[in-house]
Amino acid sequence: MIGACSRCCPAASAGWGRGWAGERGGFFCDLDGDGAPDLALALEWGPIRIFHNENGRLVDRTVQWGLAETRGWWTSIAAGDFDGDGRMDLVAGNRGRNSFYELHQPGPWRIFYGDWNGDGTIELVEAWRNAGQWLPVHSRQWLAVGLPDVQEVFPSHMAYGKATVPDILGVRFPGGGPC
């Protein structure tokens, strides 16, 4: 059997996967049956990456494996002989099209950010554009965690529901306030 599962181990336990931007999961496993452990990584906002073990040196073979265009919001990756053909198969988890972010499809997305309450932490406001307006993605209660004045400026959910991101951020909005 190619790539016995007993030879798989989490990549992080071997010191790999640390420092990769958005690395969400990985493992070492003999993926091609040559007896040497190869590395597979699931990257958030990137492709599934395969590093082939060539005499103890890991060489990026993502393109050769046909995975360079698999960009996604990957959350996990595992290997096993899932179809019973004696060869190692990969399975990867992706945030996919069944997420909260698929709810608002009428326009583009944007993230507005800054240390708006002066506590040294960057706050984020996710927004989507509809009918020429930037609208907040998250609820009044959610935004109030990082921007406590939201509940004062918009004392009801109804008032908040009518607000645009420039209304919410005021002078903190790029360009100086409501448009």
Side-chain angles (χ1 to χ4, degrees):
M1 178 170 153
I2 294 176
C5 289
S6 64
R7 298 194 347 207
C8 294
C9 65
S13 68
W16 264 85
R18 296 186 184 119
W20 282 86
E23 185 269 329
R24 302 298 293 168
F27 61 87
F28 282 96
C29 190
D30 182 12
L31 295 172
D32 60 356
D34 65 0
D38 307 303
L39 175 64
L41 291 177
L43 300 178
E44 195 171 62
W45 306 116
I48 298 294
R49 299 198 55 181
I50 302 295
F51 293 87
H52 185 250
N53 188 333
E54 297 179 7
N55 298 316
R57 186 170 162 255
L58 293 173
V59 178
D60 190 343
R61 297 290 183 214
T62 303
V63 172
Q64 291 84 345
W65 274 63
L67 297 171
E69 300 301 318
T70 59
R71 297 193 183 284
W73 197 345
W74 300 107
T75 58
S76 59
I77 188 166
D81 182 12
F82 302 119
D83 60 4
D85 66 358
R87 297 180 303 171
M88 196 59 63
D89 304 305
L90 297 176
V91 63
N94 189 308
R95 183 68 179 223
R97 298 193 54 99
N98 61 344
S99 74
F100 168 81
Y101 295 97
E102 290 295 314
L103 176 63
H104 303 292
Q105 286 298 309
W109 286 82
R110 180 151 303 152
I111 296 178
F112 297 93
Y113 63 93
D115 181 10
W116 294 315
N117 62 9
D119 67 357
T121 301
I122 300 295
E123 286 81 39
L124 302 175
V125 175
E126 295 173 85
W128 64 288
R129 194 163 181 93
N130 189 17
Q133 297 288 326
W134 286 110
L135 304 173
V137 170
H138 293 288
S139 71
R140 174 178 163 261
Q141 183 178 0
W142 189 91
L143 275 185
V145 171
L147 301 170
D149 64 324
V150 165
Q151 290 184 327
E152 296 167 20
V153 174
F154 304 98
S156 69
H157 292 289
M158 183 180 288
Y160 178 80
K162 296 176 183 176
T164 65
V165 172
D167 295 333
I168 294 166
L169 294 178
V171 298
R172 302 172 289 203
F173 186 78
C179 44

